[in-house]
């Protein structure tokens, strides 16, 4: 756990939260904030994160009574499935101190409640034994962010793509159902060949296009403009011109589908409607 991350604890009244995400009817997020601090993280713009005075990546709030609250909730409610980590990372470094996500997972496994996990953390392998007993699908996000968008030096805390691919290999070797989720895909800056080739054998992958409204663009666009002026120009046009946006989006979809096919993978591509970027087309994502 990085020393400069502020950790606090809070008591919560509820843990299970209903959701419209079609992966499960209820979500659980044991932590608020995230020490990985990805610059493009969508969660940094959530209502809870905006209420924080500390910068994104420098604080974590632990829902310290989460397990007891869940035990109580499961006495009156039996969710058909639960999604772990819809907003922030369940298996971020603080998990090694508190073990909250592992304890929650153990309870769901004990109660035979199916689970979906979204993670970009290699620490997911810490709970491999539990995952082997669970009815679970683990979506492992593979980080395709270009270096200009990643933190540098001490600020580079988010896991690297090679660690996530390693985690996927560990899950597959243990027969845990897992799906590589390449996200976000940066138009003009993502070369799929190397990553897709490393994912050979996974059967299917999912990719999500950069969400222009939620990825903290103002933070890193100036650096992008210095290093890749033509890409910055392309982004500015995509944000303003619907026809151009749709054209580039379709072009990326077909390029990725071809690259995936060459590696024996089927691709499900997630895009966002023009200027309605927060509305993922999860339900309409196409398998190609
Ligand atoms: S790991 Fe996930 S939740 Fe944490 S900062 Fe990165 S994108 Fe956000």
């Amino acid at each position: 756990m990085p020393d400069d991350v502020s950790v606090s604890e809070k008591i919560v009244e509820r843990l299970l939260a209903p959701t419209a995400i079609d992966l499960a009817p209820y979500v659980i997020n044991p932590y608020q904030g995230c020490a990985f601090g990805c610059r493009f993280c969508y969660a940094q713009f959530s209502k809870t994160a905006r209420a924080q005075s500390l910068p994104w990546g420098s604080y974590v709030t632990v829902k310290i009574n989460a397990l007891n609250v869940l035990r109580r909730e499961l006495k009156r409610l039996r969710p058909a499935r639960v999604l772990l980590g819809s907003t922030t990372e369940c298996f971020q470094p603080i998990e090694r101190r508190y073990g909250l996500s592992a304890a929650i997972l153990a309870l769901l496994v004990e109660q035979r409640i199916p689970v979906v996990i979204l993670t970009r953390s290699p620490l997911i392998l810490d709970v491999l034994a539990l995952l082997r007993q669970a009815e679970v699908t683990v979506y492992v996000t593979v980080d395709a962010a270009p270096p200009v968008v990643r933190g540098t030096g001490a600020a580079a805390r988010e896991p690297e793509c090679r660690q996530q691919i390693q985690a996927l290999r560990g899950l597959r070797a243990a027969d845990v159902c897992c799906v590589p989720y390449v996200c976000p895909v940066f138009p003009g800056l993502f070369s799929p060949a190397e990553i897709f080739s490393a994912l050979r054998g996974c059967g299917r992958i999912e990719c999500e296009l950069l969400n222009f409204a939620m990825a903290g663009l103002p933070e890193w666009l100036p650096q992008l403009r210095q290093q890749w002026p033509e890409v910055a120009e392309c982004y500015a046009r995509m944000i303003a011109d619907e026809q151009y946006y749709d054209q580039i989006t379709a072009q990326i979809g077909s390029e990725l589908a071809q690259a995936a096919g060459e590696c024996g993978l089927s691709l499900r591509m997630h895009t966002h409607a023009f200027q309605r970027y927060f509305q993922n087309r999860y339900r309409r994502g196409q398998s190609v």
Side-chain angles (χ1 to χ4, degrees):
M1 183 72 186
D3 290 341
D4 56 345
V5 173
S6 158
V7 179
S8 59
E9 298 175 353
K10 76 185 277 191
I11 300 286
V12 291
E13 296 294 320
R14 291 167 47 190
L15 192 68
L16 280 166
T19 179
I21 300 173
D22 66 350
L23 292 169
Y26 287 90
V27 297
I28 292 178
N29 290 286
Y31 304 109
Q32 289 171 345
C34 179
F36 284 143
C38 307
R39 294 177 84 191
F40 48 79
C41 179
Y42 303 169
Q44 65 187 303
F45 303 107
S46 67
K47 202 170 152 195
T48 316
R50 280 173 200 252
Q52 269 283 346
S53 53
L54 295 169
W56 183 249
S58 70
Y59 68 89
V60 181
T61 305
V62 182
K63 297 179 184 174
I64 193 68
N65 62 334
L67 191 60
N68 285 340
V69 172
L70 181 60
R71 268 203 196 99
R72 192 187 68 216
E73 289 177 326
L74 291 179
K75 283 185 182 154
R76 58 176 175 75
L77 178 73
R78 190 182 166 81
R81 192 173 301 275
V82 171
L83 171 59
L84 284 181
S86 64
T87 310
T88 50
E89 177 60 60
C90 287
F91 296 95
Q92 56 176 296
I94 195 74
E95 172 64 10
R96 285 226 161 126
R97 191 187 303 172
Y98 283 88
L100 214 47
S101 303
I104 287 167
L105 178 62
L107 180 57
L108 294 171
V109 170
E110 182 193 298
Q111 302 261 334
R112 298 184 185 282
I113 295 172
V115 181
V116 176
I117 299 175
L118 304 182
T119 183
R120 63 171 73 229
S121 174
L123 301 188
I124 186 71
L125 294 180
D126 286 2
V127 291
L128 200 54
L130 270 173
L131 294 172
R132 294 184 73 172
Q133 302 165 44
E135 187 183 325
V136 66
T137 302
V138 184
Y139 287 83
V140 179
T141 300
V142 177
D143 197 333
V148 68
V149 182
R150 293 177 62 86
T152 51
R157 289 182 179 150
E158 70 260 40
E160 292 176 13
C161 150
R162 61 175 175 79
Q163 296 174 289
Q164 292 149 345
I165 290 171
Q166 205 56 41
L168 278 158
R169 288 192 181 133
L171 293 170
R172 293 186 65 224
D175 279 333
V176 174
C177 176
C178 55
V179 180
Y181 195 90
V182 181
C183 174
V185 169
F186 288 76
L189 293 172
F190 175 54
S191 310
E194 199 179 333
I195 289 181
F196 286 6
S197 177
L199 297 173
R200 256 177 215 280
C202 287
R204 71 174 170 118
I205 57 169
E206 302 197 13
C207 292
E208 183 181 326
L209 192 70
L210 177 69
N211 182 325
F212 283 97
M214 300 297 292
L217 226 69
E219 275 284 310
W220 46 264
L221 199 61
Q223 281 162 275
L224 183 73
R225 191 165 280 127
Q226 277 182 358
Q227 214 172 322
W228 303 94
E230 69 289 358
V231 175
E233 181 61 31
C234 165
Y235 289 9
R237 200 170 155 200
M238 285 181 81
I239 289 165
D241 178 340
E242 182 167 9
Q243 205 178 353
Y244 184 70
Y245 178 85
D246 288 342
Q247 177 198 324
I248 297 292
T249 301
Q251 191 180 315
I252 292 171
S254 67
E255 280 169 12
L256 296 193
Q258 184 178 339
E262 285 165 7
C263 293
L265 299 162
S266 73
L267 169 72
R268 188 177 186 204
M269 184 79 200
H270 302 279
T271 60
H272 312 276
F274 178 70
Q275 292 188 347
R276 294 170 68 197
Y277 304 112
F278 199 52
Q279 295 192 350
N280 272 307
R281 291 175 180 162
Y282 285 121
R283 285 171 191 278
R284 284 173 283 160
Q286 303 231 325
S287 293
V288 283

